[in-house]
Amino acid sequence: MSVVTNTTTIGAIDAPSRRNTELALVAFAVLISVFAYANVGLALNGELPAGMLGYGLGLALLGGVAHLAVRRFAPYADPLLLPLATLLNGLGLAFIWRLDQSERFQALETFAPAASKQLIFSAVGVALMVGVLIALKDHRILQRYTYISMMVALILLILPMFFPAVNGAKIWINIPGVGTIQPGEFAKIVIAVFFAGYLMVKRDALALASRRFMGIYLPRGRDLGPILMVWAFSILILVFETDLGSSLLFFGMFVVMLYVATERTSWIVFGLLMSGAGAVGVASFEPHVQDRVTAWLDPFAGWGKIPASEQMAKSLMAFGSGGTLGTGLGQGNSDLIGFAANSDFILATVGEELGLAGMMGVLLVYGLIVERGVRTALAARDPFGKLLAIGLSGSFAIQVFVVAGGVMGLIPLTGMTMPFLAQGGSSVIANWALVGILIRISDTARRPAPAPAPSPDAEMTQVVRP
Amino acid sequence: MNKPLRRIAMFCGLLILALLVRTNYLQYVRADELNANEHNRRVEIERYAHERGNIIVDGEPITGSVETTDGDFKYKRVWKDGPMWAPVTGYSSQAFDSSQLENLEDGILTGNSDQLFFDRTLSMFTGEKKTGGNIVTTLDGAAQKAAFEGLGDKKGAVAALDPQTGAILALASTPSYDPSVFAGNSFKDSDARQKLLKDEDKPMLNRALRETYPPGSTFKVVTAAAALENGLYTDIDADTESPLPWQLPQSTNLLQNEGDIPCENASLREALRWSCNTVFGKMSDDLGNDKMIEQADKFGFNKEVFTPVRADASIYPKDNRPQNAMAGIGQASNRATPLQMAMVASAIANDGKLMQPYMVAQRQAPNLDVIYTHEKEQLSEPLSGENAQKLQQMMETVVKDGTGKNAQIDGVTVGGKTGTAQHGLNNSEKPYAWFISYAKTDSGSPVAVAVVVEDGNANRDDISGGGLAAPIAKSVMKAVLDGKK
């Protein structure tokens, strides 16, 4: 009796792809969002809103198309990323639509309904994600564009300096006919690509060539160069664009990726020291930043005097009034925050109308996205993929922390947007692209290893019975 | 590379955890504090989101709520006969807070009071619409109407009490205002309020509780009470040792009487009947400042009165001899609110017992359950029953054939005292006309009233307590008596 056995340890049996799980979860996410609409409509007007069907179908279509694209082009992708993003995007649409109904907003001269626009932006975002899945067969292709990415990122970050400041921060560029876009949101992704490519090449030099001093590894002076450059760069953004959020985001992302690449704790120490020094230094002479720090330290002291303080105080009161269970969708007064209630401060509406329970839910959804991203990085088999995935999910986590922490008064307010939830085209489009890249990396990571090439030895090794 | 990745995963987890802790802290630990913050407009929005309870007179609401369409606030307060009831209800404005009963009983009226906790919890389960509770007042609609219409376009105030319980029956002040004109939140409301505030006649001043006047000759009943209580005189028909003219102590000034009246050695009864300044001035001087203060205090002077709306303290001050003599006839630095003089009349009418004045008879929960009922309460006993009856006789003489004839009511015993209080530098301004009185039936006295008219337009010679104020007091007493039948 002769038996042919496979002696390799990796099996060629298909890993479960979990695509059906993903479909069910996407459907669930869409359903929750549709219920949210119904809830708002019933609370405000006592009837189901007329737009509910439109938004519901639109969202279902987006989720469906995205799912089909994943099924077709990234069949082994992480099954949670898409449903979680769909849920946040759907809830965001419901909240924006709810704020559109606010009589206080409608009384403002600058009022324009934002929900329908946001749906279109979401569609563009999903399209971009599908585009990423189709065009990017393998994320490692992006390595080739390391230095081009650097150039693109620089341009994206410098551009807003040539446009007038909006509400005290120069983070917008205005393209006639298209509207304003926030290049920073896209720069986030492009910079992650650059860092991943750069660090993959330089990691050994950064990690190993260091001297031990007082128990920690001090990097060599010349290796400090890049980190100093990024530090200087984020300070420059802070100074010229008065954008505390973006500089924190880029610098944080760089430190995270550097740490992962070099496995040296000393980089984190340096990173924290330098970001602290930079922030304190800039805060000491930049009035825009000073205002926000004052508003953070005692929001109620500036009531009636400093608009930033008053806005902060109103945000805190919105959270407070939500209490444990919230007032119910459509029944809060978070629109009292006024300007930016549907963008930077949309989380206050979540806090007021869904309460502590809803806030914890939403924060955990963000947490899940981040942790699925980190899981993807862990599973990725190539250093570039690992670095890119951790860079993207790390920046996502930092952004969530900085924005949510800002509106909740945990840290000074910085003026970025809650990914997916907040009204804003650039943000939702860029974040869908980010999710697209993560899905691509996770697909590569979870894809079963190709069946081993038939071993030439297999035929030769035979049990020869005497 | 996996070890740092796991650490980053933990770091990201910590970031989310920090947010979770913060949201718990904000929405659970600090929620109450944030909700109670003075800047939190939600408090105001919630406050006007439900129909406010009503203030009730004679079983009928004198207030109401109307729905508004503009702005954050859903309901607005309205008043029936606003100007007439304003001194009782006060105002409640979306933009300018509230006053008096509307303010003091706000918890019940909005339904937010802790006293309504059980009621509120219950309706949370039954799903009833939230509304406020009601305040049932002691006021008598007919008496209030008589007082308000009696004052007419003259400046003045009326306070009427039930001497046996202290229940406030009428509280009128003119000129008045309609609180409805600035109950809302618009520029129109703000303008209307500004206009009221700038008005020289001070329509928003509650003259019955918050304005003190020299009480003039009506204060002589207090001086007489002090004389009887301290044993200076015991027989109201015996001669007093009162020279005419009488020279003020430590002074060369002679105290004058109004006109040529028989005041020399006049008995207490005659002195009150003719309102002899010389007799009562000397009486106050004989008693001395301390005893006068003591007696005035027993009637409620020198202390704020809470009905529960606060009434200003009436003043009988520490003074030197000539000033004390003048204060004994209700001049100099002696000042009293109309409510205070009504309290004086009611204590005498109630055989010497002064009851705590009040105007909230009951508080009702939104489902009309009574959650509070006022128990009558004695404030003090300014004079003995015997002395009170002596004073009653004296006051009844004043109405029967003295200066207070205008207050006579057919078939009813009425006691009263007129007053004409001079004021202004060297009495340059027109005097105030006062009248205090009570009516008496077989079952004791149902009403005591004080009226003051400060009419700048009347001819000086026409101003007298008997002429201007007594008819108003009479119609108020008559309204109460008619209601009792």
Side-chain angles (χ1 to χ4, degrees):
Chain A
M1 183 185 153
S2 85
V3 181
V4 179
T5 48
N6 191 346
T7 54
T8 51
T9 50
I10 300 170
I13 311 116
D14 271 5
S17 73
R18 303 285 186 211
R19 288 283 69 78
N20 292 335
T21 312
E22 182 183 87
L23 181 60
L25 288 176
V26 167
F28 188 50
V30 172
L31 202 65
I32 291 179
S33 309
V34 171
F35 280 148
Y37 275 106
N39 209 333
V40 175
L42 288 172
L44 288 176
N45 310 315
E47 55 188 30
L48 292 175
M52 186 176 98
L53 204 65
Y55 284 105
L57 282 179
L59 196 64
L61 203 65
L62 289 183
V65 167
H67 168 73
L68 287 178
V70 172
R71 195 176 269 268
R72 170 79 179 78
F73 297 104
Y76 295 98
D78 189 299
L80 277 180
L81 285 168
L82 179 63
L84 293 173
T86 310
L87 176 62
L88 288 176
N89 200 344
L91 283 180
L93 279 167
F95 279 116
I96 294 164
W97 184 77
R98 179 259 172 277
L99 288 170
D100 279 350
Q101 314 303 310
S102 152
E103 286 173 9
R104 290 191 195 97
F105 279 8
Q106 287 167 2
L108 295 178
E109 274 177 38
T110 51
F111 174 77
S116 50
K117 266 198 206 148
Q118 183 75 358
L119 186 63
I120 294 170
F121 287 135
S122 308
V124 175
V126 170
L128 189 59
M129 188 203 85
V130 173
V132 166
L133 290 183
I134 295 173
L136 199 64
K137 288 274 180 266
D138 186 335
H139 61 266
R140 277 167 294 195
I141 300 169
L142 289 173
Q143 277 184 76
R144 295 180 200 154
Y145 303 108
T146 301
Y147 291 96
I148 291 178
S149 299
M150 186 187 76
M151 292 309 294
V152 172
L154 279 177
I155 291 167
L156 285 176
L157 286 178
I158 289 168
L159 264 183
M161 287 188 201
F162 303 105
F163 290 88
V166 182
N167 305 317
K170 288 186 160 199
I171 52 175
W172 280 272
I173 61 173
N174 196 346
I175 303 173
V178 181
T180 54
I181 53 175
Q182 251 175 300
E185 293 282 353
F186 297 97
K188 184 172 68 182
I189 298 172
V190 184
I191 280 189
V193 172
F194 160 62
F195 284 164
Y198 176 81
L199 290 172
M200 199 196 67
V201 177
K202 303 278 176 168
R203 53 191 280 247
D204 288 340
L206 286 166
L208 301 175
S210 54
R211 285 168 298 163
R212 201 180 153 84
F213 178 71
M214 284 173 69
I216 56 167
Y217 288 95
L218 283 185
R220 287 187 309 194
R222 68 176 128 157
D223 294 330
L224 261 178
I227 198 170
L228 283 175
M229 196 188 79
V230 174
W231 176 71
F233 200 66
S234 54
I235 297 289
L236 281 181
I237 298 176
L238 186 53
V239 172
F240 286 104
E241 301 180 1
T242 57
D243 184 5
L244 190 62
S246 297
S247 42
L248 221 107
L249 181 66
F250 298 136
F251 196 69
M253 181 163 80
F254 185 59
V255 171
V256 164
M257 292 174 78
L258 207 54
Y259 171 60
V260 171
T262 61
E263 307 191 27
R264 285 274 178 271
T265 325
S266 46
W267 287 106
I268 292 190
V269 176
F270 278 107
L272 290 178
L273 286 178
M274 286 166 73
S275 60
V280 169
V282 172
S284 62
F285 67 84
E286 182 66 63
H288 182 71
V289 177
Q290 278 168 357
D291 272 3
R292 296 205 155 169
V293 172
T294 324
W296 169 59
L297 290 174
D298 190 356
F300 289 100
W303 190 271
K305 286 173 284 194
I306 309 165
S309 265
E310 195 172 319
Q311 197 178 31
M312 198 56 234
K314 284 176 176 171
S315 169
L316 290 185
M317 289 190 291
F319 280 106
S321 83
T324 312
L325 292 176
T327 56
L329 275 167
Q331 295 174 48
N333 288 299
S334 59
D335 47 351
L336 285 171
I337 296 170
F339 158 73
N342 60 4
S343 51
D344 297 27
F345 283 93
I346 194 143
L347 209 57
T349 304
V350 180
E352 175 156 8
E353 303 201 336
L354 295 185
L356 177 57
M359 274 299 288
M360 302 227 282
V362 167
L363 289 174
L364 286 176
V365 170
Y366 278 113
L368 268 177
I369 292 185
V370 172
E371 297 301 348
R372 292 316 291 184
V374 180
R375 182 80 192 77
T376 298
L378 272 170
R381 296 177 187 134
D382 62 305
F384 178 77
K386 276 183 188 294
L387 282 171
L388 186 54
I390 197 64
L392 292 178
S393 34
S395 73
F396 194 86
I398 292 171
Q399 182 162 1
V400 168
F401 177 75
V402 162
V403 182
V407 294
M408 289 197 285
L410 183 61
I411 55 169
L413 191 70
T414 52
M416 279 192 302
T417 53
M418 254 353 240
F420 294 114
L421 215 52
Q423 178 256 332
S426 317
S427 169
V428 76
I429 294 171
N431 282 305
W432 271 115
L434 186 150
V435 166
I437 296 175
L438 280 180
I439 286 179
R440 166 53 69 219
I441 300 175
S442 76
D443 173 55
T444 316
R446 289 164 51 93
R447 191 182 291 272
S455 163
D457 295 341
E459 291 296 322
M460 309 289 277
T461 316
Q462 291 182 2
V463 180
V464 181
R465 284 175 191 272
Chain B
M1 274 161 101
N2 281 356
K3 198 169 134 194
L5 276 178
R6 289 183 209 283
R7 287 195 179 144
I8 296 291
M10 259 155 49
F11 170 69
C12 292
L14 283 178
L15 288 186
I16 300 291
L17 184 69
L19 294 178
L20 289 174
V21 169
R22 177 69 182 181
T23 191
N24 272 281
Y25 169 70
L26 268 189
Q27 303 195 263
Y28 186 76
V29 180
R30 277 187 69 190
D32 290 344
E33 174 212 323
L34 287 166
N35 284 335
N37 190 285
E38 54 175 327
H39 299 304
N40 202 337
R41 195 165 169 78
R42 287 171 189 80
V43 179
E44 299 285 295
I45 292 172
E46 153 65 22
R47 204 185 144 80
Y48 295 103
H50 315 285
E51 277 189 64
R52 196 174 166 81
N54 284 314
I55 295 175
I56 294 184
V57 170
D58 295 339
E60 295 290 323
I62 53 168
T63 55
S65 287
V66 290
E67 221 169 310
T68 54
T69 48
D70 52 328
D72 291 340
F73 303 141
K74 196 164 173 208
Y75 287 102
K76 188 167 93 165
R77 190 57 143 179
V78 285
W79 288 262
K80 290 167 193 160
D81 294 321
M84 181 167 100
W85 290 112
V88 177
T89 60
Y91 56 81
S92 168
S93 165
Q94 292 175 347
F96 306 107
D97 204 359
S98 55
S99 73
Q100 303 191 30
L101 271 193
E102 294 277 12
N103 179 288
L104 294 166
E105 298 293 348
D106 194 61
I108 299 288
L109 292 170
T110 55
N112 290 333
S113 165
D114 286 343
Q115 296 179 48
L116 298 173
F117 178 76
F118 183 70
D119 194 72
R120 256 202 324 269
T121 316
L122 208 66
S123 61
M124 203 167 83
F125 289 110
T126 57
E128 266 174 69
K129 215 177 87 182
K130 185 180 171 187
T131 48
N134 294 328
I135 299 298
V136 181
T137 67
T138 58
L139 282 116
D140 178 323
Q144 178 78 0
K145 196 157 186 272
F148 186 68
E149 286 176 357
L151 288 168
D153 53 8
K154 296 186 280 285
K155 234 191 264 184
V158 175
L161 297 170
D162 179 340
Q164 297 172 49
T165 61
I168 293 177
L169 301 172
L171 207 61
S173 171
T174 53
S176 192
Y177 68 102
D178 187 353
S180 299
V181 299
F182 63 93
N185 194 22
S186 66
F187 286 113
K188 210 181 86 201
D189 295 281
S190 173
D191 290 346
R193 179 167 171 273
Q194 276 306 316
K195 212 176 132 207
L196 286 171
L197 288 176
K198 280 185 190 147
D199 193 325
E200 281 181 7
D201 288 339
K202 293 195 238 168
M204 284 173 71
L205 174 67
N206 187 343
R207 292 176 162 80
L209 302 181
R210 300 277 171 85
E211 180 70 305
T212 56
Y213 301 90
S217 305
T218 56
F219 193 79
K220 285 170 185 162
V221 298
V222 177
T223 310
L228 289 169
E229 280 291 292
N230 289 293
L232 184 64
Y233 301 106
T234 45
D235 184 353
I236 58 170
D237 291 311
D239 280 357
T240 57
E241 290 162 30
S242 312
L244 186 79
W246 183 67
Q247 191 178 332
L248 277 172
Q250 303 169 341
S251 162
T252 52
N253 287 355
L254 293 176
L255 188 60
Q256 303 292 337
N257 286 320
E258 286 289 327
D260 185 19
I261 46 176
C263 288
E264 189 167 8
N265 293 328
S267 67
L268 279 180
R269 188 197 292 270
E270 289 302 299
L272 197 71
R273 177 181 165 197
W274 295 107
S275 199
C276 294
N277 290 343
T278 48
V279 177
F280 286 99
K282 179 173 178 292
M283 211 183 295
S284 176
D285 187 49
D286 289 347
L287 286 163
N289 191 225
D290 288 344
K291 283 179 180 157
M292 286 301 291
I293 290 175
E294 193 188 334
Q295 186 63 44
D297 283 356
K298 281 188 191 164
F299 276 108
F301 275 73
N302 296 322
K303 208 163 58 198
E304 288 177 333
V305 182
F306 294 90
T307 70
V309 177
R310 182 184 62 83
D312 279 359
S314 301
I315 306 293
Y316 192 96
K318 242 185 161 32
D319 243 330
N320 57 25
R321 275 186 68 190
Q323 289 291 315
N324 177 56
M326 290 301 286
I329 60 165
Q331 296 290 162
S333 14
N334 185 346
R335 301 190 69 84
T337 60
L339 176 74
Q340 174 61 64
M341 292 318 291
M343 285 160 70
V344 168
S346 77
I348 294 166
N350 194 35
D351 293 338
K353 293 190 179 70
L354 176 60
M355 306 306 289
Q356 166 75 39
Y358 71 99
M359 60 169 114
V360 175
Q362 287 184 338
R363 299 192 181 111
Q364 290 178 341
N367 61 4
L368 304 184
D369 279 353
V370 175
I371 52 174
Y372 165 87
T373 305
H374 181 89
E375 300 287 340
K376 66 175 180 178
E377 188 188 339
Q378 187 175 322
L379 198 62
S380 64
E381 190 166 352
L383 64 171
S384 67
E386 194 189 340
N387 286 336
Q389 275 153 13
K390 285 179 187 166
L391 260 174
Q392 286 173 21
Q393 287 179 37
M394 288 159 63
M395 286 174 76
E396 279 153 27
T397 309
V398 171
V399 173
K400 216 163 132 201
D401 41 25
T403 52
K405 283 180 188 159
N406 282 341
Q408 286 171 358
I409 303 172
D410 285 344
V412 181
T413 313
V414 176
K417 179 70 193 89
T418 56
T420 311
Q422 296 162 335
H423 79 126
L425 209 58
N426 297 323
N427 305 331
S428 54
E429 287 175 52
K430 288 174 181 169
Y432 301 122
W434 273 94
F435 192 73
I436 62 171
S437 67
Y438 63 88
K440 211 163 71 178
T441 61
D442 297 338
S443 55
S445 167
V447 56
V449 58
V451 178
V452 63
V453 178
E454 40 168 318
D455 200 338
N457 294 321
N459 185 325
R460 178 154 188 156
D461 295 336
D462 292 344
I463 299 172
S464 69
L468 272 176
I472 301 172
K474 175 185 166 178
S475 61
V476 171
M477 289 187 294
K478 213 165 165 329
V480 175
L481 291 167
D482 288 348
K484 295 272 174 196
K485 278 176 192 165

